[in-house]
């Protein structure tokens, strides 16, 4: 039953991290000097919003946040709202709830990131294992270019790809998730349109993911190369492809753990990449919310990002536990 | 340290880093005459003799902005790198050396900080700040980027803890602080240097990410702010390449230079990582499997940049 214990342990860690994130989400906006709602309402007023709307916004928020109550009470109101799935209402698009806004944006973000992370991980690891095994010019070329590609910030790759493939050679659309004037619907025409807009953001994420994974896999595989079982397999005259498969399986484990560590970076990199392409996901939502100091939306997006990363990490932990019998046996050591 | 221990990769990396550093520090002293307020033309004028890299959305000289932007990005990198390395090393060594409940508490805090994505905490703190100077952005980044350092340093410190010279130090009555400073830290110094280099590059990239989100320094310029304005004013879709290509290349060079420097320092400090061709390599690697964990820590944190 130690696998269950391992899962419970991991779940407890995620829950702890989530609790801290919720607490930060609660506390930090309340650290803004003066009443945060006054500050935001007055900046909305400068933006030309009507006096009636402003008053409604202010009243709604003073009540929702319970700003006249003590901090402890406020915290419980906040947590209670969260537990009911209530993330509050947006300031700038007032009657709309934050939950709805995020619900619209989230599918785009997941559709962009999940395939990029998975394909990038697989291709990157194969490339890294091959580079370590082949050595020579292939290794040097693959390693230096992977190191270079993985150290280029996501948004830089995104900007350059956007410029080259949408402006210099206009083969792909220059941004957005779908063509201007269409609305998301379940038709093949819309799917084709969305796919066309998908390529550039997807590729710019993929290139960087592949590079990062290849660099890590190469150094893991180099150590595997010196091990007894590889020498023995060589002595037996096994085919290269077979030996590489053995090396791959052994070096893969730390790579899966590495994936857990780098998921947070990948997600935040992807969030910024969305801004470059004005892709209609949570990154662009966050960007717009920040430029309009729409605090409930900012807070909602950061919370969703935390949940996404924690959930992804937990899935990786489960995968680790299933693949590696040692983890199951030990019940998980931190 | 003999010079032959440095690989050509190290010199390339050092060259890139020095080039960028000279550009950012000496550039504004050499090419005087224009500063951040000088307007030399209109919206996105193409490069000319008057403005070598054209003008930005407000008619400022992009070349001048690039120099000052590189400078503030480097300042953010160094300040944040110093603070983050300091916090990480202190937390890591104390946890690794003292052990027990102290270690468990510190590592629990570190692991929870690691689990929450850095960008989330960065955004939340930056939004709460009314105005942001270059220094305060650097401090905010430092406060959020130390945890992986603490975790990696703790592993190193607890392996040093069992060494015999520490018993002698304890027997001769040295106190905990002096043992940590004189007997534990020197063993990890090379590692701390690499951590510092990596923290610099992480901080520069974090600053750029924050600026792109619209949460960069509220005065002056930086490489990230240049990109932010270039994107906001649609320079990419209007083919004004001079507005976004220079900061993009500069950021890439900074990130690549520091990462290359870190990985080549790794080779200098840890000869088992060096790799030559053929049989010699295999022999050497056979004795190197113990270093696997250290390399794993370095590469996973490296991909974190």
């Amino acid at each position: 039953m130690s696998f269950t214990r391992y899962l419970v342990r991991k779940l407890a860690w995620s829950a702890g991290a989530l609790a801290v994130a919720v607490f930060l989400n609660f506390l930090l906006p309340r650290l803004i000097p003066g009443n945060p709602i006054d500050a935001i309402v007055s900046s909305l007023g400068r933006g030309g919003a009507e006096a009636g709307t402003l008053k409604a916004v202010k009243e709604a928020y003073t009540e929702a946040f319970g700003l006249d109550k003590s901090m402890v009470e406020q915290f419980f109101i906040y947590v209670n709202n969260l537990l009911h799935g209530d993330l509050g209402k947006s300031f700038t698009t007032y009657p709309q709830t934050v939950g709805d806004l995020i619900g619209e944006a989230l599918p785009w973000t997941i559709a962009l990131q999940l395939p990029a992370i998975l394909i990038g991980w697989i291709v990157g690891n194969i490339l890294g294992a091959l580079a370590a095994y082949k050595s020579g010019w292939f290794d040097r070329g693959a390693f230096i270019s992977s190191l270079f590609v993985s150290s280029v910030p996501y948004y830089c790759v995104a900007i350059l790809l956007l410029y080259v493939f949408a402006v210099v050679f206009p083969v792909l659309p220059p941004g957005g998730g779908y063509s201007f004037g269409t609305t998301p619907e379940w038709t093949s025409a819309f799917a084709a349109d969305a796919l066309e807009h998908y390529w550039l953001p997807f590729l710019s994420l993929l290139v960087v993911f592949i590079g990062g994974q290849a660099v890590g896999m190469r150094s893991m595989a180099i150590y595997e190369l010196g091990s007894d079982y590889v020498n023995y397999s060589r002595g037996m005259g096994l085919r290269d492809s077979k030996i590489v498969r053995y090396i791959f399986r052994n070096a893969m484990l730390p790579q899966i753990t590495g994936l857990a560590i780098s998921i947070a970076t990948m997600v935040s990199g992807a969030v910024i990449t969305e801004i470059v392409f004005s892709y209609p996901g949570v990154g662009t939502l966050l960007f717009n919310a920040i430029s309009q100091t729409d605090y409930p939306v900012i807070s909602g997006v950061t919370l969703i990002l935390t949940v996404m990363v924690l959930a992804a990490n937990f899935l990786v932990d489960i995968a680790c536990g299933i693949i590696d019998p040692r983890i199951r046996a030990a019940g998980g050591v931190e | 340290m003999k010079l032959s221990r440095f690989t050509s990769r190290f010199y390339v990396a050092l060259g890139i880093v020095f080039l960028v550093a000279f550009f950012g520090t000496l550039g504004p002293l050499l090419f005087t005459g224009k500063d951040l307020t000088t307007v030399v033309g209109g919206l996105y004028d193409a490069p000319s003799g008057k403005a070598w890299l054209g003008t930005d959305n407000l008619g400022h000289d992009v070349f001048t902005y690039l120099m000052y932007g590189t400078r503030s990005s480097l300042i953010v990198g160094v300040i944040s790198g110093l603070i983050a390395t300091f916090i990480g090393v202190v937390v890591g060594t104390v946890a690794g050396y003292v052990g027990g409940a102290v270690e468990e508490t510190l590592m629990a805090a570190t692991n929870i900080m690691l689990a929450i994505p850095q960008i989330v905490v960065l955004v939340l703190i930056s939004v709460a700040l009314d105005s942001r100077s270059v220094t305060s952005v650097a401090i905010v980044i430092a406060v959020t980027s130390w945890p992986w350092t603490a975790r990696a340093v703790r592993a190193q410190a607890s392996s040093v803890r069992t060494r015999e010279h520490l018993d002698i130090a304890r027997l001769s009555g040295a106190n905990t602080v002096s043992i940590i400073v004189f007997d534990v830290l020197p063993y990890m110094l090379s590692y701390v240097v690499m951590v510092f280099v990596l923290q610099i590059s992480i901080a520069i990239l974090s600053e750029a990410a924050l600026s792109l989100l619209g949460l960069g320094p509220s005065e002056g310029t930086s490489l990230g702010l240049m990109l932010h304005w270039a994107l906001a004013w649609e320079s990419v879709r209007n083919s004004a390449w001079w507005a976004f290509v220079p900061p993009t290349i500069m950021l890439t060079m900074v990130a690549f230079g520091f990462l290359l420097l870190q990985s080549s320092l790794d080779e200098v400090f840890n000869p088992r990582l060096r790799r030559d061709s053929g049989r010699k390599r295999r022999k050497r690697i056979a004795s190197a499997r113990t270093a696997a964990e250290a390399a794993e820590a370095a590469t996973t944190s490296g991909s974190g940049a």
Side-chain angles (χ1 to χ4, degrees), chain A residues 179-199:
Chain A
S179 294
F180 193 71
T182 56
T183 44
E185 52 192 0
W186 293 109
T187 60
S188 57
F190 180 76
D193 184 47
L195 188 67
E196 211 185 13
H197 287 78
Y198 184 73
W199 283 116

Side-chain angles (χ1 to χ4, degrees), chain A residues 170-237:
Chain A
V171 284
L172 289 167
Y178 41 87
S179 294
F180 193 71
T182 56
T183 44
E185 52 192 0
W186 293 109
T187 60
S188 57
F190 180 76
D193 184 47
L195 188 67
E196 211 185 13
H197 287 78
Y198 184 73
W199 283 116
L200 275 181
F202 174 71
L203 285 178
S204 60
L205 292 181
L206 189 67
V207 166
V208 183
F209 289 171
I210 289 180
Q213 293 302 319
V215 172
M217 184 61 171
R218 174 185 173 270
S219 52
M220 283 322 301
I222 284 181
Y223 291 110
E224 292 295 329
L225 274 178
S227 58
D228 292 341
Y229 73 89
V230 173
N231 287 333
Y232 185 64
S233 312
R234 281 217 178 89
M236 297 268 287

Side-chain angles (χ1 to χ4, degrees), chain A residues 114-128 206 209-211 213-214 217 248 251-260 262 266 316 323:
Chain A
L114 200 60
I117 289 178
L118 288 179
I119 298 176
W121 190 81
I122 295 169
V123 175
N125 280 325
I126 293 176
L127 193 70
L206 189 67
F209 289 171
I210 289 180
Q213 293 302 319
M217 184 61 171
F248 190 79
M252 200 173 68
L253 211 63
Q255 281 301 98
I256 294 180
T257 327
L259 182 67
S262 48
M266 289 175 174
V316 172
I323 293 168

Side-chain angles (χ1 to χ4, degrees), chain A residues 25 28 132 135 139 147-148 151-153 155-156 159 163 167 174 218-219 222-224 265 268 275 287 290 295 302, chain B residues 119 124 127-128 205 208 212-213 236-237 239 241 244 248 252 255-256 259-260 273 275 281 285 288-289 299 304:
Chain A
N25 251 321
L28 287 170
S135 71
D139 176 37
L147 192 68
F148 182 72
S151 62
V152 180
Y155 35 87
C156 290
I159 290 175
Y163 180 58
V167 179
R218 174 185 173 270
S219 52
I222 284 181
Y223 291 110
E224 292 295 329
T265 330
S268 38
I275 299 172
F287 175 73
I290 287 174
Y295 205 84
T302 51
Chain B
I119 192 105
L124 285 175
V127 168
L205 295 182
L212 277 170
L213 277 168
V236 181
R237 291 174 187 105
S239 298
W241 57 265
F244 63 86
T248 307
T252 307
F256 182 61
L259 203 63
L260 201 63
L273 273 180
R275 157 163 210 189
R281 184 196 73 223
I285 288 161
R289 298 204 66 207
T299 47

